[in-house]
Amino acid sequence: QVQLVDSGGGLVQAGGSLRLSCAVSGHTFSTYAMGWFRQAPGKEREFVAAISQSGGSTYYADSVKGRFTISRDNARNTAYLQMDSLKPEDTADYYCAAARAYLVTTRPGYAYWGQGTQVTVSS
């Protein structure tokens, strides 16, 4: 019974920042890669960022490179997504996910998912 609880979404102005958190319980956090995905209304859920088990490797979608930063604190069993320079096109429901692997960038590779947190960026 692995549980992921993501939080931190809200309304923010274009150019602003937001920090999402994902608290994980029920498994050995440090053995799981973590990822963030997002889904806008009427669109497919898309990959945003991923981080390896130890935090040594990260990977980002081209659309967020240079603006978003994924991190993790294994002592707190928590992953984060720092979002800076937000744009209206970043508006979506954001989901964190955990995978029993080193680093995963595709949706089928993730076994566990958070409930989602809504991010709205005003123009």
Side-chain angles (χ1 to χ4, degrees), residues 2 4 24 27 32-35 96-100 109-113:
V2 177
L4 281 65
V24 181
H27 68 83
Y32 282 74
M34 297 296 297
C96 67
R100 194 177 297 169
Y110 286 93
Y112 307 103
W113 294 83

Side-chain angles (χ1 to χ4, degrees), residues 42-110:
K43 295 199 172 184
E44 297 179 344
R45 188 172 299 185
E46 65 176 353
F47 170 78
V48 175
I51 189 166
S52 62
Q53 296 158 330
S54 66
S57 297
T58 59
Y59 194 82
Y60 298 92
D62 289 342
S63 59
V64 305
K65 285 181 180 177
R67 300 189 299 118
F68 290 11
T69 304
I70 187 171
S71 62
R72 66 192 296 160
D73 186 341
N74 286 353
R76 291 182 173 271
N77 289 356
T78 304
Y80 305 94
L81 184 68
Q82 178 67 43
M83 304 184 293
D84 299 320
S85 301
L86 283 163
K87 305 174 181 179
E89 52 262 44
D90 295 319
T91 296
D93 290 332
Y94 283 71
Y95 300 85
C96 67
R100 194 177 297 169
Y102 172 69
L103 183 69
V104 179
T105 61
T106 60
R107 183 176 176 180
Y110 286 93

